[in-house]
Amino acid sequence: MAHSDKPKQPKILILATLAGGYAGADATGQVHLDYPANTYILPVMSPVMFPPEFFLRAFERGIDAIIIMYSGTDSPYKVEADGTASLVNRTYTLMKTRGIDIRRLRLAAICTVCVKPFLKEVNQMADLLKGIGFVKDEITAPAAAQAKGA
Amino acid sequence: MPENTPNPESPAPVEPEEIRVGVYTCHCGGNISHVVQCERVAKMVGKLANVAVSRTDPSFCSDAGQAIIEQDIKELGINRVVIGACAPSLHEQTFRGAVTRAGLNPYLYHHVGLREQDSWVHASDEEGATEKAMRLMAAGVAKARLLDPLDPIRLGAEKQALVIGGGVAGLRAALDIARQGIRVTLVEKSPFLGGRMAQLESIFPTDEKPRQLLHDLIQAVTAQVGITIFTQAEVTGVSGYVGNFSIQVTQHARGVSPEMAEALTAACTQETPDPFNYSLTRRKVIYQPYPGCYPAAPAVDWQHYDGQPIQVNGKSIVLQDDALVHELIAGAIVLATGFDPYEPRQGEYGYGELSQVITLPQLIRHMALVKNGETLTWNGHPVRSAAIIHCVGSRELDGVHEPQADGQVNNYCSRVCCTASLHTALEMRQRFPRLNIYELYQDIRAYGRGHEEIYRHTQNAAVRFVRYHGDDGPKVIAAPKGDPYPVLVQVKDYLTYGEEIEIPVDLVVLAVGMMPRQVDDLVNMLKISRGADRFLLEAHPKLRPVEMAVRGIILAGTAQGPMNIQESLAAASAAAAKAASLLSLGKVELPPFVARVDPAKCNGNGACVTACLEEGAIALQTFVENGVEVQRAVVTPANCTGCGACVGACPNRAIDVQAWTLAQYDAMVDAIAMDWPELVEVEK
Ligand SMILES: Cc1cc2nc3c(=O)[nH]c(=O)nc-3n(C[C@H](O)[C@H](O)[C@H](O)COP(=O)(O)OP(=O)(O)OC[C@H]3O[C@@H](n4cnc5c(N)ncnc54)[C@H](O)[C@@H]3O)c2cc1C
Ligand code: SF4
């Protein structure tokens, strides 16, 4: 199918820690288990580096869902478990003010060999997007204008 | 206070250069190109701004493939490189090497994983996989445009290593490291060296005497210059990083002085089950596990000593644990904390309910207590028939076996128990020729050199083999009253097409698997990872098989997974080589992925300092700028882990983790989110 004929797919961004989710995604690849291709995995040292505005900007640019695959309490970074949970909660508050369904942002602890949990998270989010559609149809207030540094 | 001094971290002003990105989409010998249309990806990416060249190749990691990249850097003036290939964990270092050889800063290269995270997981959706590759490569280019040249952080490294665990692996690692001229501290939790190997009597595949081998090894260790041994000791605190870990070791007292040892041991009446004999016997709380142990002096078992006075020569002596705390520095840490045999659940194959059911380690100790020429007895009765059940606590199946306390089943093979069972069966045959011996197995995994021969000898030694299926294992029940044998083992034998058989026995031996020793405290202190099997996890099974992801922490022996002695020793020597190569230069290089402050944006509000939990990583310092005192955040790279907590906290975006900046992530998000018309436009 040529690109132009292809129905537009929602996009799932996965921010995956090198010490956890990114290696978990590689482990899933090593056993050749299929999951939807509209998933874009970016490695991160730790998700605590992202301010809430980063997520709002990403949604505004057209990323329909974001899964943070972090290492939770197994993280090599002291700050990761609590810091990421707090970050996600602050982001949820801002998402609500923009009318963005907070289910579009998910936090999941994924370890280096967590193949099944990885697939579960990705498939659940893909299924959710089938139901709730594109983020651009949902955003009620411009995020980027208010986001610092955007 | 520096006057008009720019923040020491401000990058030196550089001439703006034209960004010329070279993009390389690898076929990976078909692994990627069978699913992803690499030529289309290369064509699309080639049209993006700043991309000077975009190529494909069957295998960029080959020498010829790397030469193409090096040539482009030299001849086309490529100053940023993006490679789409297998997982970065496999070849990132390879390509950094190629880029460096061509004279480019190694951090001006970005790696995109197109195999494990694309072609291998979207085989049924070639179009989707190709689109994904395009977006990921476009994101790579977007990041590459914003990469800066970086230098690794160079730190002095202490030429000292810490080895935790004094079993055969820890002893070997300590000796090999010290022979490279690096001082070693060996910390052993128990009062004696040797670990589990000391509990064996004759070892496969050579039939050697393990305690003699240990004795020789320990003698070499104690004679070696530069090794300090702490027994009855544990690591109770760790801080720092590779090259410079500060370690606190707490060491319990031996409890009895050499002069009083004999008298106190004789006078001590308190007893406890003897762990050396897996609780088959009892021993005093002042003890030596076996004659010839090291150190030879008896020690007090503080866990079980009840604190009551011991009467010696009319004197009443209460033993005191005057623990010592040692502070030391080490450049690298070797973890050799070993394994524990799996402890079957109450009722598992009758364990804990039928007194005739024991484990293989118990049988080995029990046979050691039977004098040569004597009959094998159990519960005071001669053993006429014994069944060894393989895979107890190993190769368990979800939904079939009851999970462990943590909800998981042990689905791994413990590798050692097959040969250990066969070897023990052979010894039984030799020592007790009239005994009926049955081996109930799923598969025989006698995989090492000389192990297959042991299997064959066992087959020829009138040992009967019964093959069961993992989801339909044997059942162990008490025989009805009046039966000639006390226990019946019921099993479907798949060597005779599922025939149901009943084996009457006097003894059932459970060939229990290996479990990692409980090292939660070390895992938390060192922030290291465990695998799904709960053993300590190497950074990469093939490329970094003995290093952990946390730099400077190295694995030796069965702390990493089931291994026999030969494998434990090989792993220990590999660990020692890693430690020595890391420390021998007296300095280490760390990746430059640490926070960097942009002094032009920093207004000294200190949010970053509050957010950072790493001691000494970031602080506010006072500078004078244009005659005015200002506060600016300053990072100490050696203490910064690069987690980015400060980045998320800064309201001015004045701080970033080098090579992982927020601006780079924004740019990558834009590339991934690119709408169809734009993508199709560039693809035309
Ligand atoms: C039944 C059975 C029979 C076997 N027979 C054979 C055989 O015939 N041939 C063969 O090749 N292999 C055999 N093996 C395997 C062999 O026992 C192991 O390969 C070997 O003992 C592993 O040595 P290790 O040093 O890794 O671990 P261990 O022997 O477990 O040593 C680990 C040491 O670390 C110490 N430690 C643990 N935690 C800490 C801590 N936190 N701080 C400080 N110290 C700590 C422990 O006290 C111990 O001394 C057998 C195994 C079993 C179960
Ligand atoms: S080595 Fe043999 S007995 Fe042990 S778990 Fe593997 S297959 Fe089972």
Side-chain angles (χ1 to χ4, degrees), chain B residues 230-253:
Chain B
F230 294 131
T231 52
Q232 272 173 300
E234 273 180 89
V235 171
T236 42
V238 181
S239 59
Y241 41 83
V242 56
N244 207 338
F245 292 106
S246 300
I247 293 142
Q248 187 189 63
V249 174
T250 304
Q251 185 180 27
H252 296 283

Side-chain angles (χ1 to χ4, degrees), chain A residues 1 3-4 6 8 11 13 18 22 25-26 28-30 32-37 39-46 48-51 54 57-58 61 63 75-79 112-113 116 136 148-149, chain B residues 40 87-88 116-117 120-125 127-128 131-132 134-135 398 527 532 537 593 611 613-614 641-645 647-648 651 653 660 662 665-666 668-670 672-676 680 683:
Chain A
M1 196 192 299
H3 269 148
S4 41
K6 205 175 168 226
K8 208 178 144 196
K11 297 182 195 81
L13 177 72
L18 288 169
Y22 198 79
D26 280 346
T28 309
Q30 278 152 16
H32 296 250
L33 290 173
D34 251 54
Y35 55 87
T39 42
Y40 301 90
I41 305 173
L42 295 183
V44 298
M45 302 269 275
S46 170
V48 287
M49 71 167 281
F50 297 105
F54 168 82
R57 180 185 179 282
R61 296 296 160 117
I63 297 292
S75 166
Y77 305 113
K78 290 177 193 161
V79 68
T112 51
V113 289
K116 278 191 221 161
K136 281 198 169 159
K148 292 182 185 72
Chain B
R40 258 176 77 200
E116 283 80 353
Q117 299 187 5
W120 277 359
V121 284
H122 310 309
S124 57
D125 180 8
E127 190 58 34
E131 181 193 333
K132 176 169 176 171
M134 288 175 177
R135 290 186 187 280
D398 273 320
K527 291 283 174 206
L537 185 70
F593 307 143
L613 295 188
E614 300 299 332
T641 60
C643 68
V647 180
R653 281 205 176 190
W660 303 86
L662 274 177
Y665 278 104
D666 282 342
M668 286 193 280
V669 163
D670 291 349
I672 290 168
M674 204 172 7
D675 259 335
W676 270 120
V680 173
E683 211 200 333

Side-chain angles (χ1 to χ4, degrees), chain B residues 390-391 394-395 413-418 443 445:
Chain B
H390 287 216
C391 299
S394 306
R395 302 183 64 192
C413 168
S414 290
R415 294 159 46 102
V416 171
C417 22
C418 266
D443 304 286
R445 295 187 169 171

Side-chain angles (χ1 to χ4, degrees), chain B residues 596-638:
Chain B
R596 180 169 70 191
V597 179
D598 179 349
K601 289 186 187 164
C602 176
N603 65 2
N605 63 64
C608 50
V609 181
T610 313
C612 178
L613 295 188
E614 300 299 332
E615 216 175 291
I618 190 164
L620 287 179
Q621 282 184 18
T622 306
F623 295 87
V624 176
E625 279 179 18
N626 305 323
V628 181
E629 278 191 15
V630 292
Q631 297 258 291
R632 297 285 179 261
V634 175
V635 175
T636 304

Side-chain angles (χ1 to χ4, degrees), chain B residues 18 21 53 70 112 148 151 265 271 287 306 329 339 442 448 467 585 607 630 639 642 663:
Chain B
E18 184 203 349
V21 189
V53 65
E70 289 174 44
V112 179
D148 290 320
D151 288 320
T265 310
E271 287 197 342
Y287 75 106
D306 60 9
I329 300 281
F339 75 99
Q442 296 189 62
R467 187 174 195 185
L585 294 178
V630 292
N639 295 337

Side-chain angles (χ1 to χ4, degrees), chain B residues 497-519:
Chain B
Y497 308 103
E499 188 188 348
E500 294 199 22
I501 58 173
E502 204 166 64
I503 309 168
V505 291
D506 298 299
L507 193 63
V508 174
V509 180
L510 308 181
V512 290
M514 286 180 164
M515 297 274 292
R517 232 177 259 258
Q518 217 278 64
V519 285

